[in-house]
Amino acid sequence: DEYNKAKFAKYNDDFEIEFESAYTKGFASYFNDVAEYSDGFIAVGGAQYNDQQVSDNATDGLIVLYDKNGKPKDTKSVQIAGDTTFSKVLLVDDGFIVIGQSILQNMVVGTDPDGGALMIKYDFDLNEVWRVNYGGSKSAIYNDAVIDGDYIYAVGKDATRYGLIAKYTLDGEKVYTKTYEYTDTVGFSSIVKVGDDFFVAGSKTINVDADDEDKVTEGLIVKYNEDGEVLDEVTFARNNAARFNKIVSDGNDLVVVGHTYKKDEEKSTDTYNYLDYRGIIVKYNTDLEKLGNNKENGSGIDYFSDVIVTSDGYLVGGASSSKELGSNNKDYRTYFLKYNKDLERDFYK
């Protein structure tokens, strides 16, 4: 049908599909994250089940349990404030924790005391153990999280252009929430711990007083201690606006992927800005000194969303319309890009 369906696939080391499974219930659906556990896999995201959700562009939070062969075993849909999504799943000994948001739908006026950035623990039978929420019920979200010892550190945004970092116990008790001024409208998108410190990636708005269509952002890494105190930060730009989408550690180095973007004057109109995206990969040390970077310069749009550290480099996931990466300069295709440790691209699949 005309709706995109959430799909879960497993690849081997030769990038051959071992299995794939689509979530076919309802209308449109998507997965944002997947984790492997003893009995299989847990995938989380969102799904639409009725015409009103399609009209409102709203979803229920979606959890699907798969066995080790990619066969769906059980599902759970969650709705709280009207528009709910899950962005990340974290495993714990006796279950798993999902984070995301539940906000009011676009045209709904008011607030919801249970809405905003969301964190829920489930057991492996999909029974809710505890739930916490924080922030504005029109925009707050947790985009990523890590577990360190007895604590969960989550990042996202509280309100428009306010980045958010929060610390909870494994029982869902809030230790602190702190905001950062000013990110872009996504907020903080990724977090990793190296040594005693936490490194958070996103984007920083450098001209906050400008009109929305004229705001400029730069890729951002903020270094925090365990108490949520800012120790340092660094921004990245290359003659264009930029943002970082994912940060990972490679030993004592940090690797981030994201994109630069600029307005395409020829394709833009009086009511719509057409943005030209270019995927970037950048490496830093933990003192936030840049060690290297590379940018894709295809003839279409290139977008980097994720990166995995391998023994000999970095595997980047994203989407592209560039013919140089196997598309036709019009339609998007997903891909894997392999970079070596010096950030030189070896191949794409």
Side-chain angles (χ1 to χ4, degrees):
D1 58 33
E2 62 183 287
Y3 299 101
N4 293 322
K5 299 295 188 180
K7 182 179 287 188
F8 168 51
K10 182 180 180 181
Y11 292 80
N12 62 23
D13 291 340
D14 295 321
F15 300 96
E16 298 167 334
I17 293 178
E18 294 189 359
F19 63 73
E20 64 179 358
S21 177
Y23 182 78
T24 58
K25 295 180 181 179
F27 295 89
S29 57
Y30 56 86
F31 289 139
N32 286 323
D33 193 32
V34 62
E36 186 173 7
Y37 74 116
S38 58
D39 292 336
F41 304 89
I42 306 167
V44 300
Q48 297 172 332
Y49 297 102
N50 55 60
D51 292 332
Q52 189 62 52
Q53 286 184 312
V54 174
S55 176
D56 294 339
N57 195 28
T59 60
D60 286 0
L62 174 64
I63 303 170
V64 183
L65 302 185
Y66 291 92
D67 67 18
K68 294 181 179 180
N69 297 313
K71 302 289 187 182
K73 300 189 302 179
D74 203 357
T75 65
K76 188 177 188 71
S77 295
V78 180
Q79 189 55 262
I80 299 169
D83 185 6
T84 302
T85 184
F86 295 138
S87 52
K88 178 81 173 182
V89 56
L90 301 166
L91 294 180
V92 290
D93 290 340
D94 55 349
F96 59 96
I97 296 167
V98 294
I99 63 167
Q101 75 174 172
S102 189
I103 57 175
L104 298 172
Q105 291 154 280
N106 285 333
M107 301 306 293
V108 176
V109 178
T111 60
D112 189 316
D114 298 319
L118 189 65
M119 184 180 297
I120 309 175
K121 180 179 177 180
Y122 293 95
D123 64 25
F124 290 117
D125 294 320
L126 296 181
N127 299 307
E128 183 177 313
V129 179
W130 53 256
R131 180 199 304 180
V132 294
N133 65 294
Y134 175 82
S137 57
K138 290 291 285 185
S139 64
I141 186 171
Y142 288 137
N143 291 316
D144 195 17
V146 294
I147 294 176
D148 182 55
D150 296 327
Y151 298 99
I152 308 160
Y153 296 83
V155 296
K157 71 168 181 176
D158 184 2
T160 301
R161 303 190 187 276
Y162 281 79
L164 173 65
I165 182 169
K167 181 178 181 179
Y168 292 87
T169 70
L170 294 179
D171 294 322
E173 296 178 2
K174 186 175 69 176
V175 180
Y176 64 71
T177 54
K178 299 187 178 184
T179 57
Y180 175 96
E181 302 176 18
Y182 291 96
T183 63
D184 61 0
T185 56
V186 177
F188 290 150
S189 53
S190 185
I191 181 173
V192 67
K193 187 188 182 202
V194 182
D196 295 327
D197 301 318
F198 297 86
F199 297 85
V200 176
S203 182
K204 182 171 185 172
T205 299
I206 61 174
N207 57 341
V208 294
D209 295 327
D211 294 336
D212 284 348
E213 63 269 22
D214 297 321
K215 283 185 169 63
V216 176
T217 67
E218 296 181 350
L220 172 69
I221 300 175
V222 183
K223 182 178 181 179
Y224 286 95
N225 64 17
E226 64 180 8
D227 297 319
E229 298 169 333
V230 174
L231 303 179
D232 200 1
E233 69 174 64
V234 67
T235 59
F236 175 92
R238 281 292 181 275
N239 302 318
N240 311 93
R243 93 169 319 275
F244 291 146
N245 294 319
K246 181 71 175 183
I247 185 167
V248 295
S249 62
D250 182 13
N252 288 322
D253 291 334
L254 304 166
V255 179
V256 287
V257 297
H259 56 264
T260 64
Y261 61 96
K262 65 179 179 180
K263 180 180 178 181
D264 188 316
E265 299 291 347
E266 291 185 0
K267 296 181 180 180
S268 295
T269 67
D270 291 339
T271 57
Y272 176 74
N273 286 339
Y274 183 92
L275 299 180
D276 185 14
Y277 290 90
R278 293 287 179 262
I280 52 174
I281 180 170
V282 192
K283 183 184 285 190
Y284 294 87
N285 61 26
T286 53
D287 292 324
L288 299 184
E289 298 168 331
K290 184 163 64 71
L291 304 177
N293 67 274
N294 197 356
K295 181 172 77 168
E296 292 296 327
N297 287 298
S299 50
I301 299 296
D302 305 313
Y303 187 91
F304 290 174
S305 57
D306 205 352
V307 58
I308 299 171
V309 179
T310 66
S311 60
D312 58 351
Y314 312 105
L315 190 63
V316 175
S320 175
S321 65
S322 294
K323 63 180 181 181
E324 293 84 356
L325 293 178
S327 189
N328 56 9
N329 287 348
K330 179 181 178 181
D331 300 311
Y332 285 93
R333 66 179 293 270
T334 56
Y335 56 69
F336 297 109
L337 293 174
K338 178 64 184 302
Y339 292 86
N340 63 25
K341 297 288 186 177
D342 294 322
L343 305 187
E344 299 166 331
R345 174 155 60 85
D346 291 335
F347 60 82
Y348 71 88
K349 294 285 187 178

